[in-house]
Amino acid sequence: MTRKSSKAKPPATVTGPWQSATYPRRQFEAHQGATDAETAQNFIGAVLSPAAAAARVVLAAERGTGQADALDVPSLVACLQADAQAASRGDLTGAEAMLAGQASALQALFVRLVERGMGCTHAPAFEVNLKFALMAQRQSAKALETLALVKAGPPVFARQANIATNQQINVGAPAPGRTGGRPADSTNELLEAHDGARLDGGAQGAAEGSNRVLAPLGAEQRSPHPGGQGESV
């Protein structure tokens, strides 16, 4: 008696360009409007959308590889729109995977260019390969740095929130630089040192009063010179 395997068969895979009765579709799709003018506007909006622009770049990049013939254009646009909507919701899983893939691809490019450069016997060829190899290395490090920033979130806002949480505000206390290091109540020391001793406003000198009269300059005080310049003492 033979037992049947409980393992499910793996799904069939497609390894190259494929076609069916309706797929792959090669044109952008738009909703049909109530009028021809509305349909035209819908089609323009579909072609000029960010997802359609990204799809055109992908199709152009894959044109020489033979994979472009297997790409269904409306499905490609829908996939790119889903990625954009996920990023708008704060789900950056796709962006993190993209950055990790870019870092790995640039690292592979760095290694290949170094290998080519080390095999060169002439200085110009060696210099060109090593120059582009180091450029790929820097871009790979930049992709990893960007990935770390995406994973950690915006550090500036988090630091500001931390400072605001631990900040202590003293209402009514002067700034330390203005008091010269003295206590906060030192400005009222003369007024509040004794309970009954207040400065008397009427004890001000006559020279400081508002009714002060300026006497005219006497003859003996005037300068003997017409120009108003007196003799130097």
Side-chain angles (χ1 to χ4, degrees), residues 161-193:
N162 188 25
I163 293 175
T165 302
N166 299 327
Q167 186 177 9
Q168 180 179 359
I169 301 175
N170 297 323
V171 180
R178 296 182 180 179
T179 59
R182 294 178 299 172
D185 58 347
S186 61
T187 54
N188 297 329
E189 182 179 355
L190 294 178
L191 296 179
E192 302 296 339

Side-chain angles (χ1 to χ4, degrees), residues 7-15:
K7 295 181 179 180
K9 292 183 178 181
T13 58
V14 178
T15 58

Side-chain angles (χ1 to χ4, degrees), residues 73-160:
V73 174
S75 299
L76 177 60
V77 173
C79 181
L80 293 170
Q81 287 176 340
D83 290 342
Q85 292 172 358
S88 298
R89 295 192 304 268
D91 183 6
L92 299 178
T93 305
E96 294 172 0
M98 179 186 67
L99 289 169
Q102 287 180 359
S104 299
L106 289 166
Q107 169 65 13
L109 181 61
F110 162 74
V111 173
R112 179 56 182 151
L113 288 170
V114 170
E115 289 177 343
R116 288 183 57 182
M118 298 302 294
C120 296
T121 57
H122 298 285
F126 174 81
E127 182 180 0
V128 169
N129 282 281
L130 267 293
K131 176 182 177 181
F132 285 104
L134 294 177
M135 289 176 60
Q137 183 191 44
R138 288 193 296 269
Q139 293 301 321
S140 178
K142 187 67 175 178
L144 292 175
E145 181 182 355
T146 305
L147 177 60
L149 291 176
V150 171
K151 295 285 290 183
V156 176
F157 298 150
R159 191 181 303 114
Q160 289 179 350

